[in-house]
Amino acid sequence: MKTLNRTIKGQTKGEWRRRGFLAYCILPSLILYLTFMIYPTLNVFGNSLFHWSGLSPNKRFAGLENFANLMNDRVFWLAFRNTIFLMSVVTVITMALSLFLAFFLTKTRLKERNVYRTLFFFPNVLSFVVIGTLFKNIYAPSTGILNNLLKLFGLDSWCHAWLGESGTVLWAIAAAMIWQAFGYYMVMYIAGMDSIPRDVYEAADIAGASKFRQFFAITVPLTWEIIRVTLVFFIASTLSTSFLVVSVMTNTSQNYSSEVLLSYMYRQAFTNANFGYSMAVAVFIFLFSLFLAIVVNILTGKKEN
């Protein structure tokens, strides 16, 4: 009995040592996470309840007044609409283009496959400042490549001030974002498609299934987990990159036609010195992103089942 008790006591002591060692290992990461993720997030929620310039030590408690003003702010809703537009257009076109190119490069067995993969991935290594400047020059009304090419083919009526007209500016920004992103997602999809056994496609070929049917009946279901992950990536990346691209390519203060949520938040904080109101916009963006991520997980989860 004493031997059994000593054995149990030794096992309990060993278990506590193991747990203590694990806690000691994760403690630095936990402290960093709390300091740089949780505390700033809570700080944003707290500051959204105050009228504050961001520079003065004086804060005046406003309760939910900033959020009430937000609901009646025309420019905020315009920025929200523009953000939704970019998230929809960039996500759909980038995903379709990435999936098509990944399927094409995987199944055609081209000798130059690695060359194309490198070329398509190359824009992803460029900074957004470089990409924004590049496309800004392409869209230049008089000296840009795009308008000059249209004139060369006699399509003068198609020429526009692409970044200066409200009807074209968002499409021009979306094109730059798609060009930057599609290679990255294409490489992710290729990695998933390469893991599908060739026997499956050979059986489909024998059964007479077309490439189109193979894509939707085999490729998409077997790479669905990767597609689910990339959908969440699309939401997060479009929100963050839209601010960078819009800031480099356009002047959003002219008519707000290219204003997005993050650029509006930045303007309120650092141009209008309205930090409390800016934090209310940040809280809205946080809750909106969380809502979209949950919706995507629920919808794609049903598809998986």
Side-chain angles (χ1 to χ4, degrees):
M1 189 65 181
K2 287 182 180 179
T3 305
L4 180 61
N5 288 336
R6 279 199 296 271
T7 303
I8 294 174
K9 192 175 180 180
Q11 288 177 345
T12 305
K13 195 174 180 179
E15 180 65 20
W16 277 107
R17 282 181 179 173
R18 191 180 69 84
R19 290 181 180 179
F21 176 73
L22 292 176
Y24 180 76
C25 289
I26 66 171
L27 187 60
S29 301
L30 182 63
I31 292 173
L32 290 173
Y33 181 73
L34 292 174
T35 304
F36 294 106
M37 293 295 293
I38 301 300
Y39 173 72
T41 302
L42 294 177
N43 207 24
V44 166
F45 275 79
N47 285 328
S48 68
L49 303 176
F50 289 87
H51 287 304
W52 184 36
S53 68
L55 300 174
S56 168
N58 300 321
K59 293 182 181 179
R60 184 168 62 83
F61 184 71
L64 298 177
E65 188 179 338
N66 285 329
F67 293 96
N69 293 335
L70 204 62
M71 296 299 106
N72 298 315
D73 188 340
R74 184 187 66 84
V75 179
F76 166 76
W77 288 113
L78 184 59
F80 180 62
R81 189 193 69 181
N82 292 342
T83 303
I84 293 290
F85 175 87
L86 287 177
M87 290 179 69
S88 306
V89 171
V90 173
T91 298
V92 171
I93 296 179
T94 305
M95 177 174 284
L97 188 60
S98 304
L99 279 170
F100 169 76
L101 289 174
F103 184 75
F104 178 76
L105 292 179
T106 305
K107 300 307 163 197
T108 52
R109 301 178 183 178
L110 289 173
K111 290 181 180 178
E112 305 83 3
R113 176 185 170 184
N114 289 331
V115 175
Y116 287 120
R117 186 187 298 191
T118 304
L119 286 176
F120 291 147
F121 186 78
F122 176 71
N124 195 257
V125 304
L126 299 176
S127 78
F128 286 101
V129 176
V130 173
I131 292 171
T133 305
L134 176 66
F135 273 83
K136 193 173 181 178
N137 284 298
I138 290 173
Y139 294 138
S142 57
T143 59
I145 296 173
L146 183 55
N147 277 351
N148 282 314
L149 278 176
L150 292 173
K151 289 176 183 175
L152 183 67
F153 290 102
L155 301 171
D156 295 45
S157 60
W158 290 18
C159 294
H160 290 278
W162 299 97
L163 297 176
E165 298 178 16
S166 58
T168 58
V169 61
L170 287 178
W171 288 102
I173 292 169
M177 295 173 69
I178 292 166
W179 184 77
Q180 187 274 337
F182 81 91
Y184 173 77
Y185 293 102
M186 182 198 73
V187 170
M188 292 182 69
Y189 295 141
I190 285 177
M193 292 177 190
D194 279 340
S195 65
I196 301 174
R198 293 195 179 276
D199 298 350
V200 179
Y201 289 104
E202 289 172 1
D205 285 332
I206 293 171
S210 64
K211 295 294 181 187
F212 182 80
R213 183 168 176 75
Q214 289 179 25
F215 177 76
F216 286 101
I218 299 173
T219 305
V220 172
L222 293 182
T223 56
W224 186 247
E225 281 303 314
I226 296 176
I227 295 173
R228 285 187 65 189
V229 173
T230 55
L231 275 172
V232 179
F233 284 0
F234 276 125
I235 294 170
S237 65
T238 305
L239 270 173
S240 59
T241 59
S242 62
F243 167 68
L244 296 170
V245 177
V246 165
S247 299
V248 174
M249 293 177 65
T250 67
N251 182 4
T252 56
S253 61
Q254 284 184 347
N255 54 9
Y256 305 109
S257 56
S258 61
E259 190 81 86
V260 292
L261 285 176
L262 283 180
S263 64
Y264 188 60
M265 183 193 75
Y266 179 87
R267 183 194 311 284
Q268 291 296 330
F270 300 105
T271 303
N272 300 341
N274 197 354
F275 208 79
Y277 191 70
S278 171
M279 293 301 99
V281 178
V283 169
F284 179 88
I285 295 171
F286 175 82
L287 296 177
F288 176 63
S289 305
L290 185 64
F291 169 75
L292 284 181
I294 293 172
V295 168
V296 166
N297 272 319
I298 291 173
L299 293 179
T300 55
K302 285 181 179 178
K303 175 71 177 176
E304 181 188 23
N305 293 332

